[in-house]
Amino acid sequence: MISIVVLLLGILFGAILTNGEIISWFRIQEMFRFDAFHMYGVIGSAIFVGALSMQVIKWLHVRSMTGEQVVIERKEMGKGTVIGGLIFGAGWALTGACPGPLYALAGSGYAGFVIALLSAIGGALVYGLVSERLPR
Amino acid sequence: MEMFSSFWPWYVTGPLIGLYVPILYLLLNRHFGVSSTFRDICAACLRIDKPYFRYNWKDHRWRLLFVAGIAIGGFLTHPTLNTPAQGQVSGHTLSVLSSLGIKDFSSLVPGDLFSWPSVLSLKGLLLTVGGGFLVGFGTRYAEGCTSGHSIHGIATFQRASVVATVCFFLGGVFSTYVILPIILHL
């Protein structure tokens, strides 16, 4: 049952990314060239709604459906946050797609994005092979 | 279903994406994030004797289901929305890209770089294989992407996510103004 809900949430997310033009290579170029507000509006209002609803969960002590208290995932700060962040950003401007849109575009049948998605998985593989030797 | 046959303004798209942060916590007590699935796929498909891949990927099966859904969602909605970039995207961006040599503005992505068989050109391969690799490597090194850091992380007031997001944009701007013109002039 929960699997079906998660799958449906994923399908809806793919539709949101498409209908919101987040999968548009041109929109990502426009964002990095600061030529329009569209993508900043999307990311900004997503953060606003996410932050507000997480505060409501905190204030009302809403529990997760798993029965546990909601535990927020901590993001550790390190050299990787900066170096990895710069590397990802550089890639994002080339593919015009961050990981979510990569899946949506690969699913919509674009040859280039099937290749880009496989290469991203390859990038994670190489990261896993060399991660012990990278600055932390 | 009619709403899925047109583009949405940012104030519809953004809040809907933001709601995934509380929904995933309330449903599964897990955080919103997509790029971790690259690691899961490696761990699930290959037997690699490295600590980074020694974990039970089956604990995160929901994420794989979620991204499979994203691909299906893209498949279902994309064909009805494959309209020209003109009219939607800033004219300034399009004229700069045109001066860099891009000719195909007939869909959401430049077909002269990303569709078959032009993707097999040197430019196409550098953008897809090169760009994709940087996305996979970079997101795993930074431990998150736009969803995990920029949206989930900043929405939960995490310093690392603010730093990561600033770096995403610095890398993206550098790549847009320096690396992309070099590739497109090859």
Side-chain angles (χ1 to χ4, degrees):
Chain A
M1 180 57 202
I2 201 94
S3 302
I4 295 170
V5 174
V6 170
L7 183 69
L8 287 174
L9 280 172
I11 294 174
L12 181 64
F13 197 67
I16 294 170
L17 293 176
T18 309
N19 286 86
E21 295 175 87
I22 320 301
I23 66 162
S24 165
W25 191 88
F26 296 111
R27 280 290 194 193
I28 303 304
Q29 272 297 303
E30 179 191 71
M31 171 181 80
F32 284 133
R33 293 174 187 279
F34 305 100
D35 279 341
F37 180 71
H38 182 83
M39 285 302 302
Y40 295 96
V42 169
I43 297 174
S45 58
I47 294 171
F48 178 77
V49 169
L52 191 70
S53 42
M54 290 309 289
Q55 286 305 308
V56 171
I57 287 176
K58 212 166 127 187
W59 290 329
L60 302 178
H61 302 287
V62 184
R63 282 180 173 268
S64 171
M65 279 173 64
T66 58
E68 308 148 308
Q69 221 169 357
V70 171
V71 186
I72 291 171
E73 156 93 4
R74 287 284 130 206
K75 296 282 188 186
E76 298 295 329
M77 177 77 189
K79 293 197 177 88
T81 316
V82 173
I83 308 170
L86 292 170
I87 295 173
F88 161 52
W92 186 10
L94 299 182
T95 58
C98 51
L102 272 185
Y103 282 105
L105 282 158
S108 70
Y110 261 109
F113 291 95
V114 175
I115 296 172
L117 176 60
L118 290 174
S119 188
I121 296 165
L125 174 63
V126 172
Y127 171 76
L129 295 177
V130 302
S131 64
E132 297 146 295
R133 278 176 278 158
L134 295 173
R136 296 265 120 223
Chain B
M1 281 295 135
E2 192 136 299
M3 64 178 295
F4 289 105
S5 56
S6 63
F7 290 121
W8 302 341
W10 62 265
Y11 50 83
V12 173
T13 310
L16 284 174
I17 293 176
L19 284 176
Y20 275 78
V21 178
I23 286 174
L24 290 174
Y25 273 122
L26 292 178
L27 198 64
L28 302 159
N29 211 4
R30 296 295 175 92
H31 74 286
F32 175 49
V34 175
S35 67
S36 44
T37 54
F38 298 153
R39 179 194 191 188
D40 296 337
I41 292 169
C42 294
C45 299
L46 304 161
R47 282 185 170 271
I48 311 150
D49 192 31
K50 281 282 176 188
Y52 189 68
F53 297 110
R54 251 181 259 133
Y55 69 103
N56 193 3
W57 63 271
K58 285 182 187 164
D59 292 342
H60 306 284
R61 226 173 4 198
W62 73 272
R63 300 198 283 231
L64 293 171
L65 212 54
F66 185 71
V67 296
I70 296 178
I72 298 169
F75 173 76
L76 294 175
T77 45
H78 186 254
T80 57
L81 289 167
N82 215 355
T83 56
Q86 285 100 333
Q88 298 281 337
V89 179
S90 138
H92 182 254
T93 300
L94 296 182
S95 69
V96 171
L97 292 172
S98 174
S99 72
L100 288 172
I102 290 175
K103 291 182 192 74
D104 183 0
F105 295 96
S106 65
S107 74
L108 292 171
V109 301
D112 44 358
L113 297 169
F114 291 96
S115 31
W116 193 266
S118 32
V119 64
L120 297 178
S121 66
L122 180 61
K123 289 177 199 180
L125 288 175
L126 283 170
L127 292 181
T128 57
V129 179
F133 184 87
L134 297 178
V135 169
F137 189 95
T139 52
R140 289 300 76 225
Y141 197 5
E143 295 179 327
C145 60
T146 332
S147 52
H149 269 312
S150 308
I151 294 168
H152 160 270
I154 297 182
T156 51
F157 308 117
Q158 310 212 37
R159 199 168 65 102
S161 294
V162 176
V163 172
T165 303
V166 169
C167 293
F168 297 167
F169 277 84
L170 289 176
V173 168
F174 175 80
S175 186
T176 296
Y177 285 97
V178 180
I179 306 175
L180 187 68
I182 295 174
I183 294 177
L184 292 179
H185 280 132
L186 285 175

Short mmCIF file of all heavy atoms in Angstrom, two decimals, chain B residues 24-50:
data_model
loop_
_atom_site.label_atom_id
_atom_site.label_comp_id
_atom_site.label_asym_id
_atom_site.label_seq_id
_atom_site.Cartn_x
_atom_site.Cartn_y
_atom_site.Cartn_z
N LEU B 24 7.11 13.47 2.92
CA LEU B 24 7.97 12.29 3.07
C LEU B 24 8.32 12.04 4.54
O LEU B 24 8.48 10.89 4.95
CB LEU B 24 9.23 12.42 2.20
CG LEU B 24 8.95 12.30 0.70
CD1 LEU B 24 10.19 12.59 -0.11
CD2 LEU B 24 8.41 10.91 0.34
N TYR B 25 8.45 13.10 5.33
CA TYR B 25 8.68 12.91 6.77
C TYR B 25 7.45 12.29 7.42
O TYR B 25 7.55 11.36 8.23
CB TYR B 25 9.03 14.23 7.46
CG TYR B 25 10.51 14.54 7.43
CD1 TYR B 25 10.99 15.72 6.87
CD2 TYR B 25 11.44 13.64 7.98
CE1 TYR B 25 12.35 16.00 6.84
CE2 TYR B 25 12.80 13.92 7.95
CZ TYR B 25 13.25 15.10 7.38
OH TYR B 25 14.60 15.37 7.35
N LEU B 26 6.26 12.79 7.06
CA LEU B 26 5.04 12.30 7.69
C LEU B 26 4.71 10.87 7.26
O LEU B 26 4.22 10.06 8.05
CB LEU B 26 3.86 13.22 7.38
CG LEU B 26 3.95 14.60 8.02
CD1 LEU B 26 2.76 15.46 7.62
CD2 LEU B 26 4.03 14.50 9.55
N LEU B 27 5.01 10.56 6.02
CA LEU B 27 4.66 9.24 5.49
C LEU B 27 5.67 8.18 5.93
O LEU B 27 5.30 7.08 6.36
CB LEU B 27 4.61 9.33 3.96
CG LEU B 27 3.87 8.24 3.20
CD1 LEU B 27 2.40 8.27 3.55
CD2 LEU B 27 4.04 8.47 1.69
N LEU B 28 6.96 8.48 5.80
CA LEU B 28 8.00 7.47 5.98
C LEU B 28 9.05 7.84 7.03
O LEU B 28 9.93 7.05 7.33
CB LEU B 28 8.73 7.24 4.64
CG LEU B 28 7.91 6.83 3.43
CD1 LEU B 28 8.66 7.15 2.16
CD2 LEU B 28 7.59 5.34 3.49
N ASN B 29 8.97 9.09 7.52
CA ASN B 29 10.02 9.65 8.39
C ASN B 29 11.38 9.64 7.68
O ASN B 29 12.42 9.36 8.29
CB ASN B 29 10.10 8.91 9.72
CG ASN B 29 10.56 9.84 10.85
OD1 ASN B 29 10.74 11.05 10.64
ND2 ASN B 29 10.75 9.29 12.03
N ARG B 30 11.37 9.91 6.39
CA ARG B 30 12.59 9.99 5.60
C ARG B 30 12.67 11.36 4.96
O ARG B 30 11.67 12.03 4.77
CB ARG B 30 12.60 8.91 4.50
CG ARG B 30 12.61 7.49 5.04
CD ARG B 30 13.89 7.21 5.79
NE ARG B 30 13.88 5.89 6.43
CZ ARG B 30 14.34 4.79 5.86
NH1 ARG B 30 14.83 4.83 4.65
NH2 ARG B 30 14.31 3.65 6.51
N HIS B 31 13.91 11.77 4.59
CA HIS B 31 14.07 13.10 4.04
C HIS B 31 13.99 13.09 2.52
O HIS B 31 14.38 12.11 1.87
CB HIS B 31 15.35 13.75 4.51
CG HIS B 31 16.58 13.20 3.88
ND1 HIS B 31 17.10 11.97 4.20
CD2 HIS B 31 17.39 13.70 2.91
CE1 HIS B 31 18.18 11.75 3.47
NE2 HIS B 31 18.37 12.78 2.67
N PHE B 32 13.50 14.22 1.99
CA PHE B 32 13.38 14.43 0.55
C PHE B 32 14.78 14.56 -0.05
O PHE B 32 15.59 15.35 0.42
CB PHE B 32 12.56 15.71 0.36
CG PHE B 32 12.39 16.20 -1.04
CD1 PHE B 32 11.99 15.34 -2.04
CD2 PHE B 32 12.60 17.54 -1.35
CE1 PHE B 32 11.80 15.80 -3.33
CE2 PHE B 32 12.41 18.02 -2.63
CZ PHE B 32 12.01 17.14 -3.62
N GLY B 33 15.07 13.77 -1.06
CA GLY B 33 16.38 13.82 -1.72
C GLY B 33 16.42 12.80 -2.83
O GLY B 33 15.91 11.69 -2.67
N VAL B 34 17.01 13.19 -3.96
CA VAL B 34 16.99 12.33 -5.14
C VAL B 34 18.35 11.69 -5.41
O VAL B 34 18.45 10.52 -5.76
CB VAL B 34 16.50 13.11 -6.38
CG1 VAL B 34 16.60 12.26 -7.64
CG2 VAL B 34 15.07 13.58 -6.19
N SER B 35 19.46 12.47 -5.24
CA SER B 35 20.76 12.00 -5.74
C SER B 35 21.28 10.77 -4.98
O SER B 35 22.12 10.03 -5.51
CB SER B 35 21.79 13.12 -5.70
OG SER B 35 22.08 13.49 -4.36
N SER B 36 20.79 10.51 -3.77
CA SER B 36 21.22 9.31 -3.02
C SER B 36 20.88 8.03 -3.77
O SER B 36 21.50 6.98 -3.55
CB SER B 36 20.59 9.30 -1.64
OG SER B 36 19.24 9.66 -1.73
N THR B 37 19.89 8.11 -4.70
CA THR B 37 19.53 6.90 -5.45
C THR B 37 20.63 6.46 -6.41
O THR B 37 20.69 5.29 -6.78
CB THR B 37 18.24 7.12 -6.27
OG1 THR B 37 18.40 8.27 -7.10
CG2 THR B 37 17.05 7.33 -5.34
N PHE B 38 21.54 7.39 -6.80
CA PHE B 38 22.66 6.98 -7.66
C PHE B 38 23.51 5.96 -6.92
O PHE B 38 23.97 4.96 -7.49
CB PHE B 38 23.53 8.19 -8.04
CG PHE B 38 22.83 9.26 -8.84
CD1 PHE B 38 23.25 10.58 -8.77
CD2 PHE B 38 21.76 8.95 -9.67
CE1 PHE B 38 22.62 11.57 -9.51
CE2 PHE B 38 21.11 9.93 -10.41
CZ PHE B 38 21.55 11.25 -10.32
N ARG B 39 23.73 6.22 -5.63
CA ARG B 39 24.50 5.30 -4.79
C ARG B 39 23.73 3.98 -4.60
O ARG B 39 24.32 2.90 -4.70
CB ARG B 39 24.73 5.96 -3.43
CG ARG B 39 25.51 5.13 -2.44
CD ARG B 39 25.37 5.77 -1.07
NE ARG B 39 26.28 5.20 -0.09
CZ ARG B 39 26.24 5.49 1.20
NH1 ARG B 39 25.33 6.34 1.67
NH2 ARG B 39 27.09 4.95 2.04
N ASP B 40 22.42 4.09 -4.34
CA ASP B 40 21.60 2.89 -4.15
C ASP B 40 21.67 1.97 -5.37
O ASP B 40 21.75 0.75 -5.25
CB ASP B 40 20.12 3.25 -3.92
CG ASP B 40 19.90 4.05 -2.64
OD1 ASP B 40 20.75 3.96 -1.73
OD2 ASP B 40 18.88 4.77 -2.57
N ILE B 41 21.61 2.58 -6.57
CA ILE B 41 21.62 1.78 -7.79
C ILE B 41 22.95 1.05 -7.92
O ILE B 41 22.99 -0.15 -8.26
CB ILE B 41 21.33 2.66 -9.04
CG1 ILE B 41 19.87 3.16 -8.97
CG2 ILE B 41 21.58 1.90 -10.33
CD1 ILE B 41 19.52 4.23 -9.98
N CYS B 42 24.07 1.74 -7.60
CA CYS B 42 25.39 1.08 -7.63
C CYS B 42 25.41 -0.08 -6.63
O CYS B 42 25.84 -1.19 -6.95
CB CYS B 42 26.51 2.06 -7.26
SG CYS B 42 26.74 3.38 -8.45
N ALA B 43 24.93 0.18 -5.41
CA ALA B 43 24.97 -0.84 -4.36
C ALA B 43 24.08 -2.03 -4.72
O ALA B 43 24.39 -3.18 -4.41
CB ALA B 43 24.55 -0.24 -3.02
N ALA B 44 22.95 -1.76 -5.40
CA ALA B 44 22.00 -2.82 -5.72
C ALA B 44 22.47 -3.66 -6.91
O ALA B 44 22.23 -4.87 -6.95
CB ALA B 44 20.63 -2.21 -6.03
N CYS B 45 23.14 -3.02 -7.88
CA CYS B 45 23.46 -3.72 -9.13
C CYS B 45 24.86 -4.32 -9.15
O CYS B 45 25.11 -5.25 -9.91
CB CYS B 45 23.33 -2.77 -10.31
SG CYS B 45 21.68 -2.11 -10.50
N LEU B 46 25.78 -3.76 -8.38
CA LEU B 46 27.17 -4.22 -8.46
C LEU B 46 27.64 -4.67 -7.08
O LEU B 46 27.17 -4.16 -6.06
CB LEU B 46 28.06 -3.07 -8.96
CG LEU B 46 27.67 -2.43 -10.29
CD1 LEU B 46 28.32 -1.07 -10.43
CD2 LEU B 46 28.06 -3.32 -11.45
N ARG B 47 28.57 -5.62 -7.09
CA ARG B 47 29.16 -6.02 -5.80
C ARG B 47 30.52 -5.34 -5.69
O ARG B 47 31.48 -5.76 -6.30
CB ARG B 47 29.34 -7.54 -5.75
CG ARG B 47 28.05 -8.25 -5.46
CD ARG B 47 28.27 -9.75 -5.29
NE ARG B 47 27.04 -10.33 -4.78
CZ ARG B 47 26.77 -10.45 -3.48
NH1 ARG B 47 27.66 -10.05 -2.59
NH2 ARG B 47 25.63 -10.97 -3.08
N ILE B 48 30.54 -4.25 -4.94
CA ILE B 48 31.77 -3.48 -4.85
C ILE B 48 32.26 -3.50 -3.42
O ILE B 48 31.52 -3.16 -2.49
CB ILE B 48 31.55 -2.02 -5.29
CG1 ILE B 48 30.80 -1.98 -6.62
CG2 ILE B 48 32.88 -1.26 -5.42
CD1 ILE B 48 29.94 -0.78 -6.80
N ASP B 49 33.52 -3.92 -3.23
CA ASP B 49 34.04 -4.05 -1.88
C ASP B 49 34.63 -2.73 -1.39
O ASP B 49 35.83 -2.58 -1.25
CB ASP B 49 35.09 -5.17 -1.83
CG ASP B 49 35.43 -5.51 -0.39
OD1 ASP B 49 34.53 -5.37 0.46
OD2 ASP B 49 36.58 -5.88 -0.12
N LYS B 50 33.75 -1.76 -1.21
CA LYS B 50 34.17 -0.46 -0.69
C LYS B 50 33.19 -0.07 0.42
O LYS B 50 31.99 -0.33 0.30
CB LYS B 50 34.09 0.62 -1.81
CG LYS B 50 35.25 0.57 -2.78
CD LYS B 50 36.47 1.22 -2.17
CE LYS B 50 37.67 1.08 -3.10
NZ LYS B 50 38.91 1.54 -2.44
#
